[in-house]
Amino acid sequence: MSLVARIHRRFAHLMRELAQFGSVGAIAFVITFAIGNGLHTGLGVGPLTSNGVATVVATTFSYLANRYWTFRHRDRTGLGREYVLFFALNGVGLVITELFIGFSHYVLGLDGAVFYNIALVIGTAVATLFRFWSYKKWVFLPASAPHVDPASGLPEAPSAEPAAEGPGATRATGAAPGRAPRLRRPLDRTAEDYAEI
């Protein structure tokens, strides 16, 4: 198999996820942009409040689209757990975007719709990178991840079943189960052997 084919096969799934995540993010951004600008420019609501309200609406859409489209192939660990974690991580993303908007408006003194939207775009881009990484790590777990207890939100302990053997699985020795193999080094000798020295 050629190097290009191997690379394509390895990253095709990731690229598909990124494309779907990007599509959802683009729609969520349009929702944030429309509501945020409508509140800030149209109704005179403060820039941080406008963005906060718009982000809550867009986050609800984003969760549903990512759960049932982008990451539908990943384990479902409970709607409540996922939703709370999703909103918590979006809260961090919101803080990232708010820092850019607040810095532009209150520190640099750049007022107006143009500067608000520039800060919104840059802040959203940085927050999107954080969201993609964090969703895959904590919200939409891979199918091979341990199951999560819905009550506590913590991974369950691994089962006591023996590990499956497959390619790459080897046994060190044919020693009887429950007894460690001898290493045949000086420390394996009995105490009587050392008494002779």
Side-chain angles (χ1 to χ4, degrees):
M1 179 180 285
S2 73
L3 177 64
V4 174
R6 279 185 290 175
I7 291 172
H8 177 269
R9 198 172 87 194
R10 180 171 181 165
F11 291 103
H13 182 70
L14 177 64
M15 298 314 292
R16 189 169 38 256
E17 270 187 355
L18 274 170
Q20 291 173 334
F21 181 80
S23 300
V24 170
I27 296 169
F29 179 76
V30 169
I31 293 169
T32 304
F33 185 84
I35 294 174
N37 276 290
L39 292 173
H40 180 60
T41 308
L43 300 176
V45 178
L48 299 180
T49 303
S50 299
N51 185 57
V53 170
T55 300
V56 169
V57 174
T59 298
T60 302
F61 161 78
S62 183
Y63 171 76
L64 294 172
N66 279 308
R67 170 72 280 173
Y68 296 105
W69 186 50
T70 307
F71 300 113
R72 70 182 177 274
H73 59 282
R74 290 179 166 248
D75 274 352
R76 295 174 192 255
T77 58
L79 183 66
R81 175 197 168 276
E82 286 179 359
Y83 196 66
V84 168
L85 267 177
F86 191 86
F87 265 87
L89 295 171
N90 266 284
V92 175
L94 173 62
V95 168
I96 292 169
T97 306
E98 296 276 86
L99 288 172
F100 281 88
I101 293 171
F103 183 78
S104 169
H105 185 79
Y106 296 109
V107 176
L108 300 179
L110 302 172
D111 289 334
V114 172
F115 296 114
Y116 170 80
N117 287 313
I118 290 171
L120 177 65
V121 168
I122 295 170
T124 300
V126 174
T128 297
L129 294 174
F130 166 77
R131 286 180 178 119
F132 183 72
W133 171 77
S134 63
Y135 293 167
K136 287 180 62 111
K137 184 164 182 66
W138 291 305
V139 181
F140 306 117
L141 302 178
S144 62
H147 291 286
V148 175
D149 179 11
S152 68
L154 298 173
E156 294 176 351
S159 65
E161 299 174 12
E165 292 187 22
T170 59
R171 292 185 186 269
T173 66
R179 186 173 174 192
R182 294 186 58 120
L183 298 175
R184 301 288 180 221
R185 294 191 180 133
L187 292 179
D188 283 342
R189 288 189 246 165
T190 61
E192 293 82 31
D193 293 339
Y194 286 106
E196 294 174 4
I197 299 176

